[in-house]
Amino acid sequence: MKAIVQDGFGAPETLRAMEIETPEVGPDDVLVRVHAAGVNPYDWHILRGSPYVARLMPGGLGLTRPKERIAGLDAAGRVERVGANVRGLRPGDEVFGFCPGAFAEYARTKADQLAPKPAGLSFEEAAALPLAATTALRAVQDVAEARAGQRLLVNGAAGGIGTCAVQIAAAADVEVTGVCSTGNVELVRSIGAADVVDYTEDDFTRGRPPYDAILDNVGNRSRRHLRRALTPDGTLAINAGGAPDEVIGAIGPMVGAALLDRFVRQRLRVVPTLLRRDDLLAVAALVESGRLVPVLDRGHPLSDAAEAVGYVERGHARGKVVLTVP
């Protein structure tokens, strides 16, 4: 099969298209014929081995090379084969979810990492959802605990997670303020934001009524400034990914926030990365009810994976970038 391979840490240009063996299917495995794969900041973190400290952590990125030789995580496609112990899935089923090695014609995963693809979505639209939409769902509902009538600010509202978070919160009658660049103001307003702050012209941490919760997807403001924009008992949901080639990246600020949380009235919480089927099913239900629509920036053929990952790494993607797999 064709696959995008990363044999060592480095820049996106180190990704190579190769012909390799199709994965074998064990008794608990599902083999997916990938039709589209989503590109996430996660992918360039894995590719670069950034932050460096994550290479040393249990279950981390890998010490000298990525643990997964084939890049990618988010996928949408059709079930090709199932293992003897798998129930509820059969060849031909259209699915989306978490498939390590998604930048390939076929990817092997577990049944509990997949959910039925929403019928109204293309494979490209479905591939844009798994990591971004489930993270947004968890951030809005579980970490920020945003409720109807509350005020939520989403920093990085035009990105993959941001566009999902704005829609999920707005659908729950939360008053959403989105922070984005000038060119994305109308987009963020169109997906449900009651107010939009253009960060090139305005400082959302000053001169505004405080917010009940802030979801920070960017990490470009200090905790002190973010807390200043919160109510006295508000919640800061931290989901910032840090910059490439940093030794500590976002891990340091996240640890610092967790420590400070013990001593202040406000809640400072990190949005966890969890790959759960229940979250995929919840996202699919939001899509099917019309409350969540994937926002796509651009599509690339599988062979252009390096260009797509580099574009996402530069931090200006409008919604999600996807790879189409012929």
Side-chain angles (χ1 to χ4, degrees), residues 31 107 204 219 236 295 299:
L31 185 68
F204 68 84
L236 173 60
V295 177

Side-chain angles (χ1 to χ4, degrees), residues 142-153:
D142 299 341
V143 180
E145 296 183 355
R147 300 292 181 263
Q150 291 186 326
R151 302 181 72 242
L152 168 70
L153 180 136

Side-chain angles (χ1 to χ4, degrees), residues 91-164:
D93 286 349
E94 295 185 350
V95 294
F96 78 117
F98 309 112
C99 298
F103 293 2
E105 291 183 301
Y106 296 92
R108 179 179 57 200
T109 189
K110 302 296 183 184
D112 64 0
Q113 300 288 280
L114 298 170
K117 180 181 75 67
L121 295 186
S122 67
F123 287 112
E124 289 77 14
E125 290 170 324
L129 289 172
L131 192 58
T134 60
T135 300
L137 181 73
R138 199 173 310 114
V140 171
Q141 295 186 354
D142 299 341
V143 180
E145 296 183 355
R147 300 292 181 263
Q150 291 186 326
R151 302 181 72 242
L152 168 70
L153 180 136
V154 178
N155 189 21
I161 294 172
T163 51
C164 291

Side-chain angles (χ1 to χ4, degrees), residues 266-306:
Q266 293 166 326
R267 299 168 67 244
L268 281 63
R269 305 293 166 83
V270 174
V271 180
T273 299
L274 302 172
L275 310 181
R276 304 186 301 200
R277 186 172 190 268
D278 285 348
D279 290 340
L280 292 170
L281 292 172
V283 165
L286 287 168
V287 172
E288 289 167 346
S289 67
R291 291 175 289 172
L292 177 62
V293 177
V295 177
L296 299 185
D297 181 308
R298 60 176 68 177
H300 292 260
L302 180 64
S303 58
D304 287 348

Side-chain angles (χ1 to χ4, degrees), residues 6 33 122 141 151 169 209 227 262 295 313 324:
Q6 48 190 73
R33 171 62 168 95
S122 67
Q141 295 186 354
R151 302 181 72 242
R227 290 183 57 213
R262 302 184 179 196
V295 177
E313 182 182 27
T324 56

